[in-house]
Amino acid sequence: MTENIETNMQTLAQPAAASAAGEKRDFVSWIGTGSLLLITFLFAFPVVWAALTSLKSTASVIATRYPLSFWSFFPPQPTLENYASLFNELKFGQYIMNTAIASGGQVALVVLTSTLAGYAFARLRFPGRDLIFGLTLLTAFIPLEVILVPLYQVVSGLGLTSTYPALFLPFAAQPFGIYLMRQTFAQIPRELDDAARVDGAGTWRIFFRVALPNVKPALATLVLIQFIWSWNAYLWPLVIMQDPNKQIVQVMLAGLKSSPNYSLDGPLFAGLTFVTVPLIVTAIVLQRYYVRGLMTSGIR
């Protein structure tokens, strides 16, 4: 009799325990979702605020700045006059083109050097390979500010000051890109190399026909990260580019910010909004490959 009662109590307690565990999982899930929404809001708010402010007239930007109110964030009468001023009066299109040239050149060179060096460090055997790879990684810890003066002297000595190659040639090889590609190439089974060599393939043919097709997610990841870095570059272009017609957009926008002419506030927000669009579009397009690239490379 007693055993029957205990059995019935256990039977009744199991659904209650399952319900409590389910409520606990739901609570943890809600906490996680709420935290992600809060973080997303904190990161997205400056971009959305700049986009809304760019739709205000210059007079409205200044008038609604203080004190803070609803109209400090939302345009009372949306207008595109800031974008028209940006492109017609401040030659914004030329600065965007300069930035695209610098970013495109740097991304192309970094992808080329990173894939070649990463493949050599991961798949080839030569004396001092691990030592050279370690020294390459150590260069990632040297800030740009430390090597800025000698780097400027080298580029200036080559006669490249105020030229487009000066914007991206000094950064043609990146330790992070080499490390990313090395880790990715190392994940490819060596049996594929052996099978290709049995068929008569050489090193270059194995690299292009066997290795590269298997690292597309990592290549997309490298393109995305390097594009963001080069698009947001500021210090080196400010130092090396002395021709204002070849300057990049980040330096141009910083010049608007430091201008004593407050009427440039509207175009400044329009410019900040416009330069953010390529980064968002690129991140959305390559997001799927970005996640796969980090997972297959072993970087967590």
Side-chain angles (χ1 to χ4, degrees):
M1 183 67 177
T2 304
E3 294 179 352
N4 291 336
I5 294 175
E6 292 178 351
T7 303
N8 293 334
M9 291 182 65
Q10 291 177 356
T11 304
L12 294 174
Q14 287 178 354
S19 177
E23 292 178 356
K24 184 178 181 180
R25 285 195 298 269
D26 292 341
F27 177 75
V28 173
S29 177
W30 277 106
I31 292 294
T33 303
S35 301
L36 291 176
L37 289 176
L38 177 61
I39 294 173
T40 302
F41 173 78
L42 293 176
F43 278 92
F45 176 75
V47 179
V48 175
W49 177 58
L52 292 174
T53 305
S54 70
L55 300 177
K56 294 181 180 179
S57 65
T58 301
S60 180
V61 172
I62 299 174
T64 59
R65 182 180 301 167
Y66 300 108
L68 290 178
S69 65
F70 176 81
W71 299 116
S72 298
F73 303 98
F74 292 92
Q77 295 178 340
T79 176
L80 295 177
E81 70 174 34
N82 292 323
Y83 290 92
S85 175
L86 198 65
F87 282 92
N88 296 331
E89 301 175 11
L90 300 176
K91 301 178 181 179
F92 192 70
Q94 179 63 44
Y95 293 105
I96 289 289
M97 182 62 68
N98 297 339
T99 309
I101 293 173
S103 300
Q106 186 168 341
V107 169
L109 285 176
V110 168
V111 169
L112 176 64
T113 59
S114 297
T115 52
L116 291 174
Y119 182 80
F121 285 129
R123 315 294 290 188
L124 304 182
R125 300 183 185 277
F126 53 89
R129 183 188 66 172
D130 294 339
L131 176 61
I132 298 174
F133 179 65
L135 294 176
T136 303
L137 293 184
L138 286 178
T139 61
F141 298 97
I142 303 176
L144 175 61
E145 290 79 3
V146 175
I147 61 173
L148 188 64
V149 173
L151 190 61
Y152 176 83
Q153 292 176 339
V154 171
V155 175
S156 179
L158 295 174
L160 296 177
T161 306
S162 297
T163 63
Y164 288 122
L167 294 173
F168 53 81
L169 274 182
F171 309 101
Q174 294 289 341
F176 172 77
I178 295 173
Y179 175 75
L180 175 67
M181 298 311 301
R182 188 258 188 191
Q183 294 297 100
T184 307
F185 280 124
Q187 302 296 322
I188 301 175
R190 289 194 174 274
E191 288 76 8
L192 294 178
D193 293 12
D194 298 336
R197 292 189 187 280
V198 170
D199 292 338
T203 301
W204 284 106
R205 189 176 178 184
I206 295 174
F207 173 72
F208 284 108
R209 303 295 294 274
V210 178
L212 277 184
N214 288 286
V215 297
K216 290 180 180 177
L219 285 176
T221 302
L222 181 60
V223 169
L224 173 61
I225 294 176
Q226 192 57 47
F227 177 71
I228 293 174
W229 283 354
S230 57
W231 187 267
N232 290 325
Y234 174 76
L235 181 58
W236 176 249
L238 176 66
V239 172
I240 199 63
M241 188 56 72
Q242 300 169 3
D243 184 353
N245 294 322
K246 295 181 179 178
Q247 191 53 271
I248 66 170
V249 68
Q250 304 294 351
V251 179
M252 174 262 185
L253 291 175
L256 291 183
K257 177 62 179 175
S258 60
S259 172
N261 187 358
Y262 289 105
S263 64
L264 296 177
D265 278 5
L268 173 62
F269 280 102
L272 292 174
T273 303
F274 196 90
V275 298
T276 306
V277 173
L279 301 178
I280 295 176
V281 172
T282 306
I284 292 175
V285 171
L286 298 178
Q287 180 186 14
R288 181 180 56 178
Y289 301 101
Y290 173 73
V291 175
R292 289 176 54 193
L294 290 183
M295 292 181 66
T296 55
S297 65
I299 299 176
R300 300 289 192 274

